[in-house]
Amino acid sequence: MDILHVSAECYPIAKVGGLADVVGALPIYQKKLNTSSNVVMPFYNNAFTKKNSFDQVHEGTLELGKEPFKFKVLRLKKNTLNFDLYCIDIPEFVFTDYVYSTNDTERFLVFQIAVLDWILSFETKPDIIHVHDHHTGLIPFMASQCYKYESLKFIPTVFTIHNAQYQGWFSHRKVYLIPEFDFRKVGLLDWAGSINPLAAAIKCAWKVTTVSPSYMEELKLNANGLESLLEHESDKCVGVLNGIDSNVWNPETDNYIVKNYDKVTVIAGKKANKKYLCKEFNLDETKPLFAFIGRLVEEKGSDLFPEIFKKALEENDISILLLGSGNKDIEEELKALQEEKNYNSFIGYDEKLSHIIYAGADFLLMPSRVEPCGLNQMYSLRYGTTPVVNEIGGLKDTVIDIDKNGFGISHNGVTVEKVTEAITRASNFYENKKAYLENSKKIMSIDHSWNNSAQEYINLYQSLKK
């Protein structure tokens, strides 16, 4: 079986969020299960594309509306990713040093048209086209409805929703940019008076998946306006829990961290990494270290961080370290908070530092209001760091509270009081050193690799070929 993943992001080529981690790992694990699985994405002007060599495998001319644009398909010369990586090179649109911008309607529409034009040239078509998030959400519609792609309409399409809050809306005035189709079918593109790529994909894909079972159920109640559509299409929707690449995220072999460790040496390993962090950020290594890694946006609960951190530091003998960027107002508030004792932050993103934090922190904070799956809690478990999470989406599916014979700290709802109470519970748990250390060893054994999830996707693909 031959699977082609289409995405705006893929680790390690271009990463903004968890989408990149999923698309960069899923094909590797599908190949381990004897399924050919490759990725096509835009050719960005970034560190990865500058450092690596590519072969041209196709060139063509596409039309965006009536305007022609030349494009090339490039393949990574050295297969260092354990899957074939193809990049669509359209200099006028996607050869940028950023992934997302203000003209994404045209940028990603031209990318999707180029992908389908390229597939038309294949002697042997892929068995499944698996598209990810709204940036590729018009492919199921175009493959099934546009006259130009008539020969592709029998290829099953699978659409994965990584985050339903972002839907790619644009005005019907731009419908002329889409290759010609029977205009009586324009309703497949529409939702609430706009062209909505996420809604179109839900309507037109053969199967729709989300990145956790709980998130699929939550979307029927809160999907930024698409609740009734997801309820209507529920028969073809399924939640498949994301996994993590356990080769990349492995404290025994991780080249980023200060000292490697396993379940036997976890105490010494985490101590060495924590010592490094506390020295770098002027924190007290004798106190429990709480950390946050991620985007500073309301979805992640980070608008409450200044209040939460101040209250938690006043009420508990702890340290807090934050790594993230996003909303500029939140960034400034968190920078100002650095005057507080036992708190520090790194505003931005640093891959190496993130690994050291997973290895050196005692607790990872994830007070998300929305968390389709969440990977950070899985990374923290892998490194023996206890997650403190809101009971939502994938966090609910992957973290069980210690008071329910589990291994994490959960809170139900995102308020200053509830998150601070959870931090206090975690701090009290840390004081019982024996129980805390036993928990660290236990959580390192939890398998959140892609093995099971990759097989679930393969079973889903096979069901579409019967």
Side-chain angles (χ1 to χ4, degrees):
M1 185 172 285
D2 186 12
I3 314 303
L4 184 64
H5 292 273
V6 190
S7 177
E9 299 179 39
C10 177
Y11 180 82
I13 303 91
K15 175 178 175 175
V16 175
L19 166 63
D21 294 305
V22 173
V23 178
L26 181 54
I28 296 171
Y29 284 83
Q30 289 179 334
K31 284 212 166 187
K32 289 180 180 179
L33 297 169
N34 300 315
T35 298
S36 174
S37 187
N38 301 304
V39 173
V40 58
M41 65 180 295
F43 188 69
Y44 299 114
N45 179 19
N46 62 17
F48 185 93
T49 57
K50 290 174 183 174
K51 188 171 70 175
N52 289 275
S53 298
F54 292 79
D55 291 321
Q56 182 177 315
V57 297
H58 180 78
E59 65 179 340
T61 301
L62 60 82
E63 287 189 347
L64 184 66
K66 298 298 182 184
E67 191 171 357
F69 293 95
K70 293 186 180 299
F71 73 95
K72 297 175 183 176
V73 182
L74 309 177
R75 180 175 58 206
L76 184 64
K77 188 171 284 189
K78 288 186 179 178
N79 190 348
T80 54
L81 304 175
N82 295 316
F83 57 82
D84 285 337
L85 173 72
Y86 297 92
C87 293
I88 303 292
D89 182 19
I90 315 168
E92 298 92 334
F93 290 94
V94 296
F95 191 63
T96 56
D97 60 1
Y98 49 83
V99 176
Y100 304 121
S101 187
T102 55
N103 63 332
D104 284 349
T105 294
E106 289 80 7
R107 292 177 68 232
F108 289 109
L109 182 53
V110 81
F111 164 65
Q112 293 171 87
I113 292 169
V115 169
L116 291 175
D117 281 8
W118 174 48
I119 294 173
L120 283 176
S121 73
F122 289 14
E123 285 188 19
T124 304
K125 303 290 191 285
D127 292 299
I128 303 285
I129 301 173
H130 189 157
V131 300
H132 297 265
D133 264 354
H134 74 82
H135 322 94
T136 57
L138 292 176
I139 284 179
F141 172 83
M142 292 193 291
S144 62
Q145 301 299 328
C146 292
Y147 301 135
K148 185 177 185 180
Y149 307 122
E150 178 81 16
S151 63
L152 306 182
K153 69 180 182 181
F154 297 111
I155 301 175
T157 51
V158 174
F159 177 61
T160 296
I161 303 170
H162 295 261
N163 192 330
Q165 298 304 303
Y166 306 105
Q167 300 176 9
W169 312 266
F170 60 95
S171 168
H172 276 277
R173 290 193 298 271
K174 293 186 177 182
V175 71
Y176 74 94
L177 297 175
I178 298 171
E180 189 178 358
F181 61 94
D182 182 347
F183 205 72
R184 290 174 296 181
K185 300 295 181 67
V186 73
L188 292 171
L189 294 169
D190 180 84
W191 194 257
S194 295
I195 293 177
N196 185 318
L198 193 83
I202 293 168
K203 295 175 188 179
C204 297
W206 292 33
K207 279 284 185 182
V208 176
T209 72
T210 59
V211 291
S212 71
S214 287
Y215 186 55
M216 178 60 82
E217 292 308 308
E218 289 168 8
L219 285 180
K220 295 171 187 175
L221 302 173
N222 180 14
N224 203 5
L226 300 183
E227 298 83 3
S228 61
L229 175 60
L230 283 155
E231 185 66 51
H232 182 264
E233 299 285 1
S234 61
D235 286 350
K236 68 175 181 183
C237 296
V238 61
V240 179
L241 187 67
N242 278 346
I244 62 173
D245 189 335
S246 52
N247 295 317
V248 172
W249 298 94
N250 184 353
E252 292 185 53
T253 59
D254 191 334
N255 291 324
Y256 284 133
I257 66 178
V258 174
K259 182 180 178 66
N260 295 112
Y261 58 93
D262 57 18
K263 285 176 288 186
V264 176
T265 59
V266 60
I267 298 173
K270 289 191 70 66
K271 185 176 181 180
N273 285 280
K274 183 178 181 180
K275 184 176 182 178
Y276 170 87
L277 290 171
C278 291
K279 184 178 179 182
E280 286 289 308
F281 292 95
N282 194 29
L283 299 170
D284 186 344
E285 64 182 282
T286 66
K287 302 179 189 297
L289 178 57
F290 289 76
F292 171 84
I293 301 172
R295 291 181 296 126
L296 300 178
V297 293
E298 288 190 13
E299 278 180 35
K300 303 296 182 184
S302 59
D303 55 308
L304 299 180
F305 280 176
E307 288 182 78
I308 290 169
F309 292 169
K310 200 162 187 176
K311 184 174 171 63
L313 288 165
E314 287 172 357
E315 297 180 0
N316 300 279
D317 191 23
I318 63 173
S319 297
I320 299 175
L321 177 61
L322 175 142
L323 168 61
S325 63
N327 182 290
K328 297 304 175 187
D329 292 335
I330 298 172
E331 286 183 6
E332 290 306 314
E333 287 187 71
L334 290 168
K335 284 178 185 175
L337 199 64
Q338 286 180 325
E339 296 175 9
E340 293 283 332
K341 195 177 178 183
N342 300 318
Y343 166 81
N344 212 332
S345 64
F346 182 101
I347 302 300
Y349 185 74
D350 185 298
E351 186 73 17
K352 179 177 180 178
L353 179 58
S354 73
H355 283 244
I356 299 173
I357 292 174
Y358 285 120
D362 299 302
F363 297 95
L364 184 80
L365 298 170
M366 293 186 71
S368 304
R369 293 185 176 94
V370 177
E371 197 62 73
C373 176
L375 297 175
N376 291 13
Q377 80 278 13
M378 299 186 200
Y379 299 149
S380 76
L381 293 168
R382 182 90 165 119
Y383 285 71
T385 299
T386 302
V388 181
V389 307
N390 184 30
E391 291 183 355
I392 197 83
L395 300 176
K396 186 177 178 181
D397 290 333
T398 54
V399 178
I400 303 169
D401 193 272
I402 54 171
D403 287 347
K404 299 176 181 176
N405 297 317
F407 45 82
I409 306 288
S410 299
H411 53 92
N412 190 3
V414 182
T415 64
V416 172
E417 290 71 25
K418 287 185 177 182
V419 179
T420 308
E421 284 172 12
I423 290 172
T424 299
R425 284 181 61 216
S427 179
N428 292 337
F429 178 52
Y430 183 83
E431 292 306 309
N432 185 342
K433 289 289 194 295
K434 184 178 180 182
Y436 175 81
L437 292 171
E438 283 301 315
N439 192 63
S440 289
K441 292 177 183 178
K442 179 172 75 174
I443 61 182
M444 288 179 72
S445 300
I446 299 172
D447 181 11
H448 280 302
S449 74
W450 269 104
N451 292 322
N452 293 332
S453 304
Q455 185 61 60
E456 279 193 65
Y457 272 114
I458 289 170
N459 293 345
L460 184 148
Y461 300 151
Q462 289 172 340
S463 73
L464 298 176
K465 297 297 289 182
K466 291 178 181 177

